[in-house]
Amino acid sequence: MEPEIAALAGTAGTTLVTLLATDTWQSIRDGLVSLWQRARPDRALAVADELAATRDELLAAQAEGDREAEAEVRAEWQGRIRRLLAAHPELTEDLRAMLVELAPDDASVPAVTQHATASGQARVYQSGRDMRISGAEGA
């Protein structure tokens, strides 16, 4: 069951980070706090506060263009959720159902952002997937 829990925690961490930066972040916060309330009632309020602080941190990092912070937050919460599920596997199905309900509509389509700057005689070729370039390269 451990690989399944790790995969579910990974999905939860990714969904959390995605939704924390949106107006619907309270839904994921409430769902996760509910899980903690059932498993560790003594930690539920602290988890709610930590999620709010994480959201503030994530929004500030995004405003500064810090992409590493997003990965760090994702990894941190994946670990927390994995440990919760490992200690309380009875919560696995509830978390899975919550993620299905909260998943962004475009969750199956990864976002691609590309940036390029060219000057002088430079050429920039960008592609979201396959690219084939024909022709004389120095012409």
Side-chain angles (χ1 to χ4, degrees), residues 89-134:
E90 70 276 9
L91 300 175
T92 302
E93 287 307 314
D94 294 331
L95 177 59
R96 186 173 284 118
M98 181 183 73
L99 293 175
V100 167
E101 182 180 321
L102 295 175
D105 292 335
D106 61 348
S108 63
V109 180
V112 175
T113 303
Q114 297 179 342
H115 302 277
T117 304
S119 62
Q121 299 292 324
R123 294 182 188 184
V124 175
Y125 301 98
Q126 293 183 306
S127 174
R129 187 148 179 239
D130 300 333
M131 178 184 282
R132 182 178 181 144
I133 301 172
S134 306

Side-chain angles (χ1 to χ4, degrees), residues 30-108:
D30 293 348
L32 288 175
V33 170
S34 173
L35 291 178
W36 255 273
Q37 181 67 38
R38 291 174 42 212
R40 300 269 326 267
D42 58 312
R43 289 277 304 134
L45 289 176
V47 167
D49 292 342
E50 291 162 6
L51 284 166
T54 298
R55 180 178 194 267
D56 292 342
E57 176 186 328
L58 182 63
L59 292 175
Q62 287 177 342
E64 295 172 6
D66 182 359
R67 297 174 89 71
E68 291 179 24
E70 185 177 309
E72 291 168 359
V73 167
R74 182 180 305 111
E76 175 186 348
W77 282 97
Q78 284 174 353
R80 288 181 181 200
I81 294 166
R82 184 192 52 75
R83 289 187 299 277
L84 178 70
L85 294 178
H88 300 277
E90 70 276 9
L91 300 175
T92 302
E93 287 307 314
D94 294 331
L95 177 59
R96 186 173 284 118
M98 181 183 73
L99 293 175
V100 167
E101 182 180 321
L102 295 175
D105 292 335
D106 61 348
S108 63

